[in-house]
Amino acid sequence: MSRESPPDPQECARLAVGVRAGDRRTLAKAITLAESTRDDHQALARAVMADLLPATGHALRMGITGAPGVGKSTLIEALGLHLVAAGHRVAVLAVDPSSAVSGGSVLGDKTRMEQLARHPQAFIRPSPASGALGGVAAHTREAILFVEAAGFDIVIVETVGVGQSETDVANLTDVFVLMQLPNAGDDLQAIKRGIVELADVFVYNKRDLDPAAADRAMAQMAGALYLLRPAAATWKPPVLGVSALTGEGVPEFWRDVLRCRDTLAASSELAAKRRRQALAWTWHLIDHGLRERFHADRAVRDALPLVLEQVGAGTLTPTAAAARLLEQTRGR
Ligand code: GDP
């Protein structure tokens, strides 16, 4: 573990003041520091965040997931433009799990949300899935807090429906939206992967293409939901049909998101959810830190190849192997 000198208080104060004032460049810089793998950057980001923490927590945090092409960016653009016109400040954080897996990007390879991106009351930022702190949404949590401190009152976290990212985003947000197309295969996939149980609002998009198919899919999903345990005790997830392209159903969709947030807040489920999320994140970081320390340990690194070989050959049990390796880090 390298010991860094403490962050420069003046630099820290300058960044905190800039973020609080809503200065976009300072905001972007603060998020970049939090995403950095350098210890000194991380320390500075933590110090700035400590200063800003009282200014966080007031925004509505909405998560949205769905397969590529389902219409997420079209919906977010339509909704975002409507919200900024109504005087809101909207931040969109895009979590892209594909960038960690392939080095490419599903979310970043095309121009998305062009009009919203240019709007002075909007802030759009992809969150790289670096995995530096573990999990695809590793830095999105910090980014949410920074944009809140900068005065954005609506935060939309978007992710492609791949692997762990949906669970991560559901664990960062107040209201989680699952967006699908009227296609039974999609529904089954979502049910199988347990995503349906995370969702607070279900949206079937592109209703304009085939309204009858959309209505059928909605009825099926509503039926399936009957059998599942709801995510919240006081909230029954609605199933909506929209067309992000024409705007049909978008105001109703937003009304349901607000209704969900307000219902959870009124029953104190929202406060409990945020508390649970913060504690889960703390444990996640501790687990990740311990794992990193384990792998960085010299004695472990020396012993590891032989121990793993013995487990593979069947001459050492996994229990004995784990005990032997963990023993190496004892007392350090
Ligand atoms: P994303 O990958 O989930 O962000 O999907 P996009 O928002 O990029 O949409 C993928 C394609 O579907 C684009 O060509 C959109 O214009 C189109 N699309 C999005 N929403 C609708 C809709 O409601 N109706 C129709 N007909 N097309 C849509």
Side-chain angles (χ1 to χ4, degrees), residues 16 42 52 72 80 88 114 124 131 149 153 161 172 175 190 209 221 253 259 265 290:
Q42 289 273 329
L52 293 173
K72 294 179 297 301
H88 291 286
E114 238 174 297
I124 299 182
D153 62 330
L172 291 171
V175 179
L209 294 179
M221 179 52 84
F253 161 66
R259 219 160 46 79
L290 286 173

Side-chain angles (χ1 to χ4, degrees), residues 66-75 106-107 110 112 158 179 205-209 242-247:
V70 71
K72 294 179 297 301
S73 59
T74 310
L75 180 72
V106 173
L107 294 174
K110 57 185 171 163
R112 312 175 84 241
E158 173 197 10
M179 194 169 182
N205 191 33
K206 308 196 187 182
R207 189 171 183 280
D208 56 297
L209 294 179
V242 305
S243 170
L245 203 59
T246 67

Side-chain angles (χ1 to χ4, degrees), residues 52-239:
L52 293 173
L53 205 59
T56 65
H58 58 81
L60 189 164
R61 303 168 181 170
M62 182 186 94
I64 184 162
T65 189
V70 71
K72 294 179 297 301
S73 59
T74 310
L75 180 72
I76 295 170
E77 167 128 304
L79 180 65
L81 289 172
H82 166 76
L83 293 172
V84 290
H88 291 286
R89 297 188 66 209
V90 179
V92 181
L93 306 170
V95 179
D96 185 355
S98 62
S99 63
V101 179
S102 64
S105 165
V106 173
L107 294 174
D109 58 0
K110 57 185 171 163
T111 314
R112 312 175 84 241
M113 301 173 240
E114 238 174 297
Q115 285 188 61
L116 189 62
R118 280 199 302 268
H119 199 284
Q121 301 300 323
F123 179 81
I124 299 182
R125 165 122 187 166
S127 263
S130 68
L133 277 174
V136 291
H139 301 294
T140 311
R141 200 177 173 84
E142 275 81 15
I144 291 175
L145 297 174
F146 279 125
V147 297
E148 285 182 345
F152 289 89
D153 62 330
I154 293 168
V155 184
I156 299 174
V157 185
E158 173 197 10
T159 189
V160 178
V162 177
Q164 177 67 21
S165 66
E166 286 144 328
T167 315
D168 287 348
V169 171
N171 279 329
L172 291 171
T173 50
D174 304 328
V175 179
F176 188 61
V177 178
L178 175 59
M179 194 169 182
Q180 288 174 290
L181 295 177
N183 167 341
D186 263 15
D187 303 351
L188 280 177
Q189 277 294 317
I191 290 172
K192 256 206 299 222
R193 287 183 295 148
I195 295 149
V196 168
E197 276 153 275
L198 299 172
D200 300 298
V201 177
F202 293 84
V203 176
Y204 283 92
N205 191 33
K206 308 196 187 182
R207 189 171 183 280
D208 56 297
L209 294 179
D210 189 347
D215 294 346
R216 259 198 316 275
M218 286 161 61
Q220 272 170 10
M221 179 52 84
L225 287 181
Y226 235 64
L227 306 171
L228 294 169
R229 197 165 52 88
T234 53
W235 177 249
K236 187 174 169 301
V239 183

Side-chain angles (χ1 to χ4, degrees), residues 33-47 133 139:
L33 286 170
E35 287 168 351
S36 169
T37 49
R38 274 177 52 175
D39 286 349
D40 57 334
H41 288 170
Q42 289 273 329
L44 181 56
R46 272 199 304 274
L133 277 174
H139 301 294

Side-chain angles (χ1 to χ4, degrees), residues 211-292:
D215 294 346
R216 259 198 316 275
M218 286 161 61
Q220 272 170 10
M221 179 52 84
L225 287 181
Y226 235 64
L227 306 171
L228 294 169
R229 197 165 52 88
T234 53
W235 177 249
K236 187 174 169 301
V239 183
L240 306 168
V242 305
S243 170
L245 203 59
T246 67
E248 179 211 333
V250 176
E252 289 80 359
F253 161 66
W254 183 245
R255 260 206 300 280
D256 273 346
V257 171
L258 285 178
R259 219 160 46 79
C260 177
R261 196 270 314 263
D262 293 346
T263 305
L264 297 181
S267 70
S268 80
E269 274 190 283
L270 186 62
K273 191 176 194 174
R274 285 192 172 185
R275 206 166 37 240
R276 235 182 7 254
Q277 290 173 343
L279 289 173
W281 184 242
T282 307
W283 279 113
H284 174 82
L285 292 179
I286 291 171
D287 287 347
H288 190 79
L290 286 173
R291 190 184 289 257
E292 285 214 318

